[in-house]
Amino acid sequence: MAEQIAEQAAGQISQQVAEDRVARPRPVAVTIGRRPEPVHDVAVYAFDGMAPFELGVVVEVFGLARPELGGLLAAPWYGLKVCADRPGAELDAVGGFALTARHGLDDLAAADTVVIPGVRNAFSGVGAPPGRQTGGVSPGLVEALRTAHERGARIVSICSGAFALAAAGLLDGKEATTHWRYAELLQQRYPRVRVNPDVLYVDNGDVLTSAGSAAGIDLCLHLVRRDHGAKVANSVARRFVVAPHRDGGQAQFIEAAVRPVEEDEDGIARSMQWALDHLSDPLTVSVLARAARMSDRSYLRHFTARNGTSPMRWVVTQRIAASLALLESPEGTVEEIAAAVGFESAATFRHHFGRVMRTSPTAYRRSFGRGVA
């Protein structure tokens, strides 16, 4: 009987896909013998004159089927809707093509996660009196964002999308980031926002912002990590062919002159790989400099210039990253995990974990651990 039900369900799904090749059906969790779990709805905003890269990142992460995840998922994958101020209207995209969004702002306001991948022109209204500097943000979008936030939705911006969140008042009193090119303008226009131009993204829990275009990948992977754990996020990153977590911030990209790679810098890469193989060992700048066959002073200067962060800050980040898979396992105490990844004490581990992940190791294990009470 169960096999007949499964065959019937599969036949119905195949027929629906065949009959509606243009309109993609909403993802449905099909199970036998139990009630299907609800899909987490993600809505991404599309607008006339948009650059397609940021929209593509959101579609790639949340809208692509993920058969490779198999048994890794403890909950259904995301359902994605592309929304616009006027659903069905043709929207010009940078590059000489157009797209059409089938969903409107009502669907955006009703989603579980809302992503604003940019605004049409962040510099719109520069020089106008306060209150009339629209920044390319429509009143309808502002209202939809406020409605979604009041409902408890998670609100996310990429690049200049932070201007839409700020216009809705969702960043007041919060730390936020945007592309370094817009950071000063965002701070001037919205003085109640604490703009940090140096980071790749900022997670305030229900409101998250990211820097320039590629930082949107980092933030989307961070959301997957929050929702489904490090193993799933790593799998998505592998399919994306990107690192699961990048180190450093925007400082390494701000008007940096392109220069040839010096011969000594080969030692930087060698020392970084050596450090990854010896995370549990005591690591200092002197130890890493010896692995690179460089003086401490030269190593510190070259490492920081190359990576946009200091050697020891990078080491801490790698140790935190290594701890995630261990925390998701039911085996090992926080103290044992801290020692395994090279921290001198559990207290030091908790301090750095909280700074990097904005939560505690215990809370992370409670949220993402498999079989952990």
Side-chain angles (χ1 to χ4, degrees):
M1 183 64 180
E3 294 180 356
Q4 294 177 347
I5 295 175
E7 292 176 359
Q8 182 179 4
Q12 291 174 346
I13 295 173
S14 299
Q15 182 179 359
Q16 181 180 4
V17 173
E19 292 177 351
D20 193 1
R21 294 178 180 273
V22 177
R24 180 181 177 184
R26 170 177 171 155
V28 175
V30 179
T31 58
I32 302 300
R34 67 181 221 177
R35 186 176 180 179
E37 298 180 62
V39 173
H40 183 110
D41 282 321
V42 176
V44 59
Y45 180 66
F47 53 93
D48 197 49
M50 73 182 308
F53 180 85
E54 293 88 345
L55 175 66
V57 167
V58 178
V59 173
E60 176 82 10
V61 173
F62 301 109
L64 196 65
R66 299 286 173 182
E68 73 275 11
L69 296 179
L72 291 179
L73 290 177
W77 198 241
Y78 305 90
L80 179 68
K81 292 180 180 178
V82 180
C83 305
D85 290 88
R86 293 184 297 123
E90 188 175 273
L91 303 172
D92 290 329
V94 174
F97 66 96
L99 56 87
T100 301
R102 295 193 178 91
H103 304 279
L105 295 182
D106 288 345
D107 288 306
L108 184 141
D112 301 304
T113 293
V114 175
V115 185
I116 309 300
V119 296
R120 179 165 184 171
N121 180 10
F123 293 102
S124 175
V126 170
R132 296 186 180 180
Q133 300 174 0
T134 63
V137 182
S138 71
L141 177 59
V142 168
E143 184 61 30
L145 287 173
R146 289 172 177 167
T147 299
H149 186 254
E150 289 171 1
R151 285 182 42 255
R154 184 168 58 185
I155 313 296
V156 181
S157 71
I158 300 174
C159 197
S160 63
F163 284 83
L165 274 59
L170 305 186
L171 299 180
D172 288 353
K174 294 184 174 67
E175 182 182 342
T177 193
T178 185
H179 193 290
W180 57 264
R181 180 172 175 244
Y182 303 125
E184 184 177 355
L185 177 63
L186 182 65
Q187 187 66 83
Q188 291 175 352
R189 186 172 292 170
Y190 301 101
R192 297 183 65 184
V193 181
R194 302 196 308 272
V195 179
N196 184 345
D198 298 328
V199 296
L200 295 177
Y201 60 82
V202 175
D203 182 349
N204 287 299
D206 59 345
V207 179
L208 304 91
T209 54
S210 67
S213 302
I217 301 176
D218 297 286
L219 181 51
C220 287
L221 289 174
H222 173 70
L223 293 174
V224 173
R225 190 179 299 111
R226 272 182 47 173
D227 295 343
H228 296 283
K231 287 184 179 180
V232 172
N234 292 346
S235 179
V236 174
R238 280 195 298 272
R239 184 163 174 178
F240 232 120
V241 197
V242 297
H245 184 274
R246 287 194 295 164
D247 304 304
Q250 293 192 80
Q252 58 189 306
F253 304 111
I254 298 176
E255 298 297 328
V258 177
R259 57 186 175 81
V261 176
E262 300 178 20
E263 184 177 351
D264 283 348
E265 286 189 337
D266 291 340
I268 300 294
R270 182 171 59 250
S271 71
M272 293 171 72
Q273 184 57 56
W274 184 89
L276 292 176
D277 294 335
H278 297 82
L279 282 179
S280 60
D281 296 346
L283 297 177
T284 64
V285 172
S286 295
V287 169
L288 296 177
R290 285 198 299 272
R293 301 189 184 96
M294 299 169 66
S295 69
D296 292 7
R297 183 175 179 179
S298 179
Y299 181 81
L300 183 60
R301 176 167 56 86
H302 284 290
F303 188 101
T304 303
R306 178 168 179 167
N307 297 295
T309 189
S310 69
M312 297 317 299
R313 192 178 184 90
W314 176 83
V315 167
V316 166
T317 302
Q318 300 308 310
R319 284 172 166 164
I320 295 299
S323 75
L324 298 182
L326 299 178
L327 289 170
E328 292 180 16
S329 168
E331 300 178 359
T333 64
V334 170
E335 288 74 15
E336 291 169 339
I337 293 172
V341 297
F343 287 103
E344 294 180 356
S345 67
T348 303
F349 175 44
R350 291 187 179 96
H351 168 75
H352 289 296
F353 194 96
R355 179 181 59 80
V356 174
M357 300 298 294
R358 295 179 180 269
T359 188
S360 69
T362 301
Y364 182 91
R365 166 169 270 184
R366 189 182 303 117
S367 296
F368 302 120
R370 301 290 183 258
V372 180

